[in-house]
Amino acid sequence: MNRVLAERPLEGAASENDPALRASRARQRRGRWLAHGILLLGVLIFALPIWITLVGSSHDVNTIGRGEVPLWFGSHAIDNYIAAWERGGSAVRNTRAVPAGTMLWNSAVMATLIAAGKIAISILSAYAVVFFSFPGRMAFFWMIFITLMLPVEVRIIPTFQVVVDLNLTDSMAGLVIPVIASATATLLFRQFFLTIPDEYVEAAKIDGAGPLRFFWDVVLPLSRTNIAALFVILFIYGWNQYLWPLLIITDTSLETVVVGLSKMIGRGDAQNEWNAIMATAILALLPPVAVVILMQRWFVKGLTETEK
Amino acid sequence: MRKNVIFRGKLLPLLLLSPQLAITIVFFFWPAGQAIWSSLLREDAFGLSRQFVGLENFAEVLADPTWRGAAGNTAIFAFSVAILAISAALLLAVQADKSIRGSGAYKTLLIWPYAVAPAIAAVLWLFLFHPQIGLIGRALNAAQIAWDYRLNGGQAMLLVIIASAWKQVSYNFIFFLAGLQSIPRSVLEAAAIDGARPMRRFWTVVFPLLSPTTFFLLTVNLVYAFFDTFGVIHALTQGGPAKATETLIYKVYVDGVENLNLGASAAQSVILMAIVIAMTAVQFRFIERKVHY
Amino acid sequence: MATLTLSGIRKSFGATTVLHGIDLDIAEGEMVVIVGASGCGKSTLLRITAGLETPTAGTVRIGGRDVTPLEPADRDIALVFQNYALYPHMTVFDNMAYGLKIRRMPREEIRRRVEEAATLLGIAPLLHRRPRELSGGQRQRVAMGRAIVREPKLFLFDEPLSNLDAKLRVQMRAEIRRLQRRLGVTSLFVTHDQVEAMTLGDRLVVMNQGRAAQVATPMEIFANPADTYVAGFIGSPTMNLLRATLAEGGGAATLAAGGSIPLDRPRPGPAGRALVVGIRPEHVTLGGSLPMAVELVEPLGSETVLHGTLPGGEAMTVRVQGPAPAHGGTLPVSLVEPLHIFDAETGRRL
């Protein structure tokens, strides 16, 4: 709000001693300090859990286990991360420790396949719906659209049953394919395709480009930024899958890191390997956070546009 | 709906649609149909035969005190998360929208939690609030406040709310910021010239103009709290202690996967579907209205 | 280079008919401009010629060959779009080369043709830029270049100048005309701008509500408009159209505004036949028996345009050389030659 007033140079008229001028300057200064204060507080609250985790991951297991909550880094960082990466950590309840390296790899593969798969099938179906007229077009469109209303969580048990019947449990395919249909991505591409001027299609027709050629030479290159934006969002979505992998993966070699991390924590007063858990937590959140920060522009675009 | 200028052909578009359709049918419509069908059936005690029982499963679910408890938990949980996450985000977005030094850096530092998985957010907050190893958990106990979210239901609920809202603030922040930036400068300038002070300007001009965003975020946050927070609860409290944090979605999972009570679980799934459909419909009606105005 | 023959072109969208049977013959190398108000069907006619739209009835022949069932790509035509439709992600070179690449023309030949066209259009230094780095006039040239490299039998232009500012439009107009003459390609040009039509076309087709009101050379249309629509559409300021009736014997017309004027030749019909008398503003002379109440004076420097009303309330525009003789008040005017006499009922010229 303040940007309206804050930046406006107060021209001419008022002298330095004008009380109105001084009052208004003071108000602007107060507003800026308040803004800095609130934002800093927000940043700190956001960062606090990460800080504690990051610091914790650099101490040995006993320091944390004793409940000495360290606020500054210890000397075991490298050991902890190597141990987590190669061996994993485990709670008493759960003796099957899975190396974080394996879990991160599984998460990366799953997230990439989900993002790429969702983009591929939805760009094709959006292209069909927008650039063609064929019987049942609207019915198909609504079929895709209605899936918006059926998140995997609400149909979890019967979907699981289908995956069991198809013999896809404990497989990457079972992890990826059932969540790959995306009404959101289809809608986004459809929205974007509708903004492609008709004249491009006409020019392509006169140039002699057929529908597939037009898709490849014109539509796909024009969709690049949308694809990038969507990829960021969907990669995070894929990486953060929880309930689905929890259900269908029992084979530890396919464990993903988000599920694996929560399995590392024992219930009750079990003695946990907190240092390994914290190191794994940092490793688990690093890739999607890095994607958001490094691709911030695309991320924001993807987020605000998929929800429109 | 479609372009005026189109390509000819009927086979090609069907071919292009087929992957999406196949997955949708196999993994969406078939299971949803199964859920509805099995919500009308009941298995005998030995799992040998199933018989049609009509709406009995629904009646039973709705009468079940544990289901009602879960519904109550869900309502408290979802609205707390939504209100907390929305108001915090609005406060931050309004500050970040001011032209102050470093606003770009603030934005970056405020959006990253979006990328953290709900289950990981839960683990991070566990590190803070764990009664033995957590910074805050120990501090509370040291201050003679008995803090153990593993024993106290209210504390457990508070913790899952904080962890869930924490992650969602970034999302709301991004949308509020976009909403603020789309308010025409001239409107703000007019309000400034009318003599409205910043606070007043915010409540009389900015906030009403943000109301579409706020409403949109309210439904999105509720849906998030209903479904996406499964990971938070599973990782932090597993619905406990004594079902104090068992939400509807968590109960579907418990009944279906752990207790293998498929009929009841299916009936619950169907009820959840109805809730999502209602929420989505409200949201779309609203968007439609916005489009027309 | 080829002739273009449209015969009996009709087009309906559902219950609304936008083209009511258009016949048109374009000779080799000729440039014909279709002009009309928006919604008159001129763009539809062009798009039917291009093959982007299928006619409800009628045939399109290019070089004598019936191309009606053919796809646009197989008609050997090129179209310059109103918004140019340059692919934004391709360079100027790629935009111009795209159609040739699809036709699997050898790389060297593509390069030769694109460079030749670029030189011709003065855009050779821009070949590696993208459309958004070009000015409006440059984009226009690229759009032309894309058409030229194809060496088509027929050029189609869909209001290609309407997105340019006034000055550039005049310049590009001349350039298109020169280029078309030089290449000698049969061309069909659609515009709503009558000045553009008059200056560009060997012949004009004035369209009105899905019908060709008149097909003739610009001067013929100006001198002998076929009906009141054409009369009102071509020429600026527009022709004055006054209500009148035929006098006994057909040798004179009685104006509704008062007074009688002799006709160059007698028109048929009974006395009292309703007529419309048209006269261009530059043919109205000052001094006479018709009192015009002057309401607006527009001094344009070398000439002055006076707007006013005649007794009875009909609007009248007069164009005089030099400064205005009077400001406001009433000015006597008279209508002399050439008069255009139309039937009031059908609007046709008599």
Side-chain angles (χ1 to χ4, degrees):
Chain A
M1 274 83 288
N2 260 355
R3 68 180 169 199
V4 182
L5 289 182
E7 297 283 274
R8 166 111 6 114
L10 296 159
E11 279 163 14
S15 78
E16 284 301 312
N17 296 327
D18 185 333
L21 175 68
R22 265 184 294 145
S24 119
R25 284 224 172 126
R27 205 164 43 237
Q28 286 163 23
R29 209 166 25 241
R30 270 204 309 279
R32 273 199 298 275
W33 280 115
L34 185 70
H36 280 292
I38 291 172
L39 288 169
L40 266 176
L41 189 68
V43 168
L44 285 179
I45 291 177
F46 275 15
L48 180 66
I50 299 281
W51 177 255
I52 293 295
T53 312
L54 200 57
V55 166
S57 71
S58 68
H59 287 271
D60 68 0
V61 65
N62 295 326
T63 314
I64 306 165
R66 277 196 305 274
E68 296 166 14
V69 182
L71 291 173
W72 194 248
F73 294 100
S75 56
H76 296 266
I78 294 170
D79 300 342
N80 288 342
Y81 280 91
I82 289 177
W85 184 273
E86 289 179 346
R87 182 175 57 78
S90 69
V92 172
R93 179 186 75 143
N94 182 347
T95 48
R96 25 155 248 171
V98 187
T102 308
M103 297 197 291
L104 286 164
W105 170 252
N106 290 334
S107 282
V109 171
M110 173 180 73
T112 309
L113 288 179
I114 288 177
K118 271 179 183 271
I119 289 171
I121 68 170
S122 42
I123 199 169
L124 290 178
S125 54
Y127 186 68
V129 170
V130 172
F131 287 94
F132 290 86
S133 173
F134 54 94
R137 192 177 60 90
M138 284 312 289
F140 291 131
F141 177 73
W142 281 105
M143 270 176 76
I144 294 169
F145 185 77
I146 211 162
T147 56
L148 262 188
M149 303 185 183
L150 298 171
V152 72
E153 284 82 3
V154 307
R155 54 192 166 80
I156 194 77
I157 310 297
T159 310
F160 176 64
Q161 205 55 52
V162 170
V163 172
V164 171
D165 293 344
L166 293 175
N167 231 339
L168 287 175
T169 51
D170 275 327
S171 73
M172 191 50 83
L175 213 45
V176 170
I177 294 172
V179 291
I180 225 173
S182 170
T184 334
T186 311
L187 287 176
L188 174 80
F189 282 124
R190 175 183 157 268
Q191 212 61 36
F192 171 67
F193 290 167
L194 288 174
T195 67
I196 293 180
D198 286 356
E199 284 82 357
Y200 289 175
V201 184
E202 295 182 334
K205 282 184 174 181
I206 289 171
D207 280 338
L212 288 177
R213 182 99 201 213
F214 181 69
F215 177 76
W216 190 256
D217 285 345
V218 179
V219 171
L220 211 53
L222 289 179
S223 309
R224 265 185 318 214
T225 54
N226 281 291
I227 290 174
L230 210 49
F231 190 89
V232 173
I233 300 297
L234 295 176
F235 181 86
I236 294 166
Y237 165 87
W239 185 276
N240 292 350
Q241 285 291 308
Y242 189 83
L243 178 53
W244 187 243
L246 178 71
L247 269 185
I248 73 153
I249 298 298
T250 48
D251 178 355
T252 51
S253 69
L254 276 172
E255 193 83 274
T256 59
V257 73
V258 175
V259 176
L261 178 70
S262 84
K263 284 185 183 169
M264 285 166 75
I265 300 169
R267 309 299 158 184
D269 281 326
Q271 187 61 310
N272 291 309
E273 286 185 64
W274 290 114
N275 54 344
I277 294 173
M278 287 175 168
T280 309
I282 293 294
L283 292 173
L285 62 80
L286 209 55
V289 169
V291 166
V292 163
I293 291 176
L294 297 178
M295 304 173 100
Q296 189 175 338
R297 197 169 57 85
W298 278 329
F299 163 67
V300 171
K301 176 182 159 66
L303 200 61
T304 46
E305 288 185 4
T306 45
E307 295 291 357
K308 237 180 253 166
Chain B
M1 208 31 242
R2 70 168 164 83
K3 309 192 91 55
N4 295 320
V5 180
I6 46 159
F7 289 106
R8 289 184 201 160
K10 299 196 169 21
L11 193 63
L12 182 62
L14 287 175
L15 218 60
L16 295 172
L17 266 174
S18 55
Q20 173 106 329
L21 282 180
I23 290 172
T24 305
I25 289 167
V26 173
F27 296 107
F28 281 74
F29 287 107
W30 176 249
Q34 286 285 302
I36 293 169
W37 176 236
S38 51
S39 71
L40 304 172
L41 301 178
R42 182 167 303 162
E43 277 186 11
D44 64 28
F46 307 101
L48 295 176
S49 69
R50 300 168 94 188
Q51 78 181 98
F52 185 82
V53 292
L55 298 177
E56 245 178 67
N57 284 325
F58 289 98
E60 214 163 276
V61 163
L62 292 173
D64 178 3
T66 61
W67 188 84
R68 291 180 170 200
N73 290 340
T74 309
I76 294 171
F77 172 71
F79 279 99
S80 307
V81 169
I83 289 165
L84 194 61
I86 287 176
S87 43
L90 181 58
L91 179 66
L92 291 170
V94 167
Q95 308 308 322
D97 188 46
K98 292 179 180 172
S99 56
I100 53 170
R101 202 177 296 215
S103 59
Y106 282 127
K107 282 169 202 165
T108 306
L109 289 172
L110 287 170
I111 64 170
W112 62 266
Y114 172 82
V116 178
I120 293 183
V123 173
L124 295 180
W125 284 90
L126 176 147
F127 293 149
L128 275 179
F129 279 99
H130 194 282
Q132 273 102 51
I133 67 149
L135 178 69
I136 299 174
R138 285 178 64 88
L140 288 170
N141 281 315
Q144 303 300 315
I145 300 167
W147 170 269
D148 193 340
Y149 65 89
R150 295 169 302 180
L151 303 175
N152 181 318
Q155 292 176 0
M157 180 58 95
L158 187 65
L159 187 52
V160 289
I161 289 171
I162 291 175
S164 306
W166 175 79
K167 187 203 129 57
Q168 193 64 7
V169 171
S170 304
Y171 180 91
N172 300 345
F173 174 77
I174 291 165
F175 277 87
F176 275 131
L177 208 54
L180 285 168
Q181 277 156 5
S182 71
I183 294 177
R185 280 185 80 107
S186 57
V187 172
L188 300 177
E189 285 163 358
I193 289 167
D194 284 341
R197 293 261 179 272
M199 260 316 225
R200 198 183 164 87
R201 223 150 58 213
F202 176 77
W203 289 113
T204 56
V205 179
V206 177
F207 190 69
L209 286 175
L210 280 180
S211 64
T213 310
T214 313
F215 184 84
F216 161 79
L217 287 176
L218 183 65
T219 55
V220 168
N221 279 252
L222 288 177
V223 170
Y224 160 79
F226 263 61
F227 303 111
D228 295 344
T229 53
F230 174 86
V232 176
I233 293 166
H234 189 256
L236 260 184
T237 65
Q238 305 210 297
K243 297 193 185 299
T245 54
E246 188 171 85
T247 57
L248 289 174
I249 190 73
Y250 200 82
K251 188 166 163 53
V252 170
Y253 169 79
V254 170
D255 286 353
V257 177
E258 294 182 357
N259 303 340
L260 295 171
N261 183 353
L262 292 182
S265 170
Q268 292 178 41
S269 288
V270 172
I271 293 172
L272 279 178
M273 281 184 215
I275 293 174
V276 191
I277 288 172
M279 279 171 128
T280 321
V282 167
Q283 191 181 321
F284 273 100
R285 269 197 70 137
F286 170 76
I287 286 173
E288 216 170 292
R289 210 176 59 207
K290 194 172 71 172
V291 167
H292 286 287
Y293 124 82
Chain C
M1 264 91 315
T3 58
L4 169 68
T5 309
L6 305 176
S7 13
I9 301 287
R10 300 173 60 83
K11 178 72 184 177
S12 312
F13 294 102
T16 50
T17 303
V18 293
L19 292 175
H20 301 267
I22 304 278
D23 296 294
L24 182 62
D25 263 301
I26 304 185
E28 240 179 70
E30 192 185 15
M31 177 128 179
V32 170
V33 178
I34 306 178
V35 62
S38 64
C40 70
K42 58 187 189 302
S43 280
T44 311
L45 187 61
L46 184 90
R47 293 163 55 80
I48 286 173
T49 311
L52 295 169
E53 209 89 66
T54 343
T56 313
T59 55
V60 179
R61 285 168 194 282
I62 298 175
R65 171 167 165 244
D66 184 356
V67 297
T68 323
L70 294 187
E71 291 285 321
D74 304 325
R75 295 188 176 201
D76 206 0
I77 49 138
L79 171 55
V80 180
F81 292 90
Q82 178 170 5
N83 64 2
Y84 320 138
L86 301 176
Y87 305 119
H89 58 293
M90 294 185 193
T91 61
V92 168
F93 183 94
D94 289 336
N95 262 291
M96 288 167 67
Y98 188 60
L100 305 180
K101 277 184 190 156
I102 288 177
R103 288 180 170 74
R104 299 177 193 284
M105 190 172 279
R107 205 175 274 260
E108 271 318 300
E109 174 70 3
I110 294 178
R111 175 163 299 280
R112 190 189 62 73
R113 282 203 191 184
V114 171
E115 278 169 2
E116 210 176 278
T119 314
L120 185 66
L121 290 160
I123 50 171
L126 308 176
L127 280 176
H128 295 287
R129 297 226 193 136
R130 280 174 211 278
R132 78 180 120 77
E133 300 162 328
L134 303 179
S135 69
Q138 289 169 334
R139 284 181 206 182
Q140 170 68 61
R141 277 169 224 255
V142 177
M144 297 272 302
R146 172 157 79 177
I148 291 172
V149 292
R150 296 266 313 281
E151 299 179 1
K153 287 199 184 116
L154 180 64
F155 269 162
L156 301 171
F157 297 88
D158 189 4
E159 309 213 18
L161 301 177
S162 57
N163 282 354
L164 299 177
D165 63 45
K167 198 175 163 198
L168 205 52
R169 187 153 46 202
V170 174
Q171 190 190 332
M172 284 309 294
R173 195 164 76 199
E175 217 163 296
I176 288 179
R177 186 61 178 139
R178 217 168 19 135
L179 210 63
Q180 192 269 337
R181 287 248 166 83
R182 180 162 163 196
L183 300 170
V185 185
T186 316
S187 302
L188 191 58
F189 191 108
V190 162
T191 180
H192 64 270
D193 180 340
Q194 48 119 349
V195 178
E196 209 168 285
M198 298 282 285
T199 49
L200 271 174
D202 292 321
R203 280 192 299 152
L204 307 191
V205 179
V206 182
M207 283 192 62
N208 179 25
Q209 298 182 337
R211 291 191 170 83
Q214 190 169 11
V215 183
T217 63
M219 281 328 290
E220 169 66 14
I221 285 180
F222 187 78
N224 296 309
D227 60 19
T228 46
Y229 178 81
V230 178
F233 191 80
I234 301 287
S236 174
T238 58
M239 186 188 282
N240 296 298
L241 295 171
L242 305 172
R243 282 178 294 120
T245 48
L246 196 62
E248 188 69 45
T254 314
L255 292 174
S260 167
I261 40 173
L263 302 181
D264 53 345
R265 58 189 166 80
R267 300 300 198 277
R273 179 183 184 181
L275 300 176
V276 172
V277 173
I279 184 157
R280 297 204 180 273
E282 56 270 35
H283 296 144
V284 180
T285 48
L286 296 181
S289 54
L290 267 179
M292 176 175 101
V294 179
E295 287 162 354
L296 176 65
V297 179
E298 294 179 323
L300 299 175
S302 64
E303 57 185 40
T304 304
V305 177
L306 304 162
H307 300 273
T309 47
L310 294 178
E314 280 177 299
M316 181 75 163
T317 308
V318 181
R319 194 158 103 182
V320 296
Q321 294 299 313
H327 283 277
T330 304
L331 208 61
V333 296
S334 57
L335 318 179
V336 274
E337 295 290 277
L339 293 177
H340 307 267
I341 311 299
F342 305 96
D343 180 75
E345 225 167 285
T346 62
R348 304 297 303 172
R349 184 181 191 84
L350 291 174

